[in-house]
Amino acid sequence: MAEDPRDSADRQADAARLRDLEERLSKVTAKPEVAGPMAGYDKAHVAWRMVTEIVAGIMLGAGIGYGLDWLFGTLPIMLILFILLGFVAGIKVMMRTAAELGSTSGKPPGTDERD
């Protein structure tokens, strides 16, 4: 078994050895490129997600608008209105996704305060 440090000089020597080991390990280990919540996704996946979000908003708006036009008999009015609303909703969701790219997932470990 390992011996306990006998005095403060032994503790300081052990601490210096640990710091040296941490420095050598930090040089060898690879650092993550991005620390955000979407770090595991490459840019192509995020781009396709954004395209899908805007197309889904437009298609949903067109479906609702056509359904209301069919119901009320006012063919182009509701269709155009809801296509525009779907476009705006798709842009809003795209902006939220873009904001997720730059955000961090939380505080770094060891920085939370405990009571």
Side-chain angles (χ1 to χ4, degrees):
M1 286 182 81
E3 297 178 17
D4 291 332
R6 293 186 195 104
D7 57 5
S8 64
D10 287 342
R11 287 189 184 117
Q12 290 175 356
D14 287 343
R17 284 186 16 228
L18 283 174
R19 280 192 299 271
D20 182 48
L21 177 64
E22 287 175 359
E23 288 176 13
R24 287 187 289 153
L25 285 175
S26 67
K27 291 177 185 176
V28 174
T29 57
K31 295 179 180 48
E33 195 173 301
V34 179
M38 299 183 85
Y41 299 104
D42 61 349
K43 291 178 180 31
H45 286 111
V46 175
W48 276 112
R49 176 180 168 186
M50 289 180 172
V51 168
T52 304
E53 288 167 349
I54 195 164
V55 169
I58 292 171
M59 297 301 286
L60 189 62
I64 292 172
Y66 184 76
L68 288 175
D69 277 335
W70 180 80
L71 187 65
F72 298 131
T74 59
L75 187 58
I77 296 170
M78 294 291 183
L79 180 64
I80 294 171
L81 179 69
F82 276 90
I83 284 176
L84 291 175
L85 287 175
F87 179 73
V88 170
I91 293 291
K92 185 176 179 181
V93 173
M94 270 182 48
M95 296 302 287
R96 191 178 310 142
T97 301
E100 284 179 20
L101 290 174
S103 67
T104 57
S105 59
K107 294 180 181 178
T111 60
D112 56 341
E113 297 177 13
R114 294 189 179 144
D115 293 329

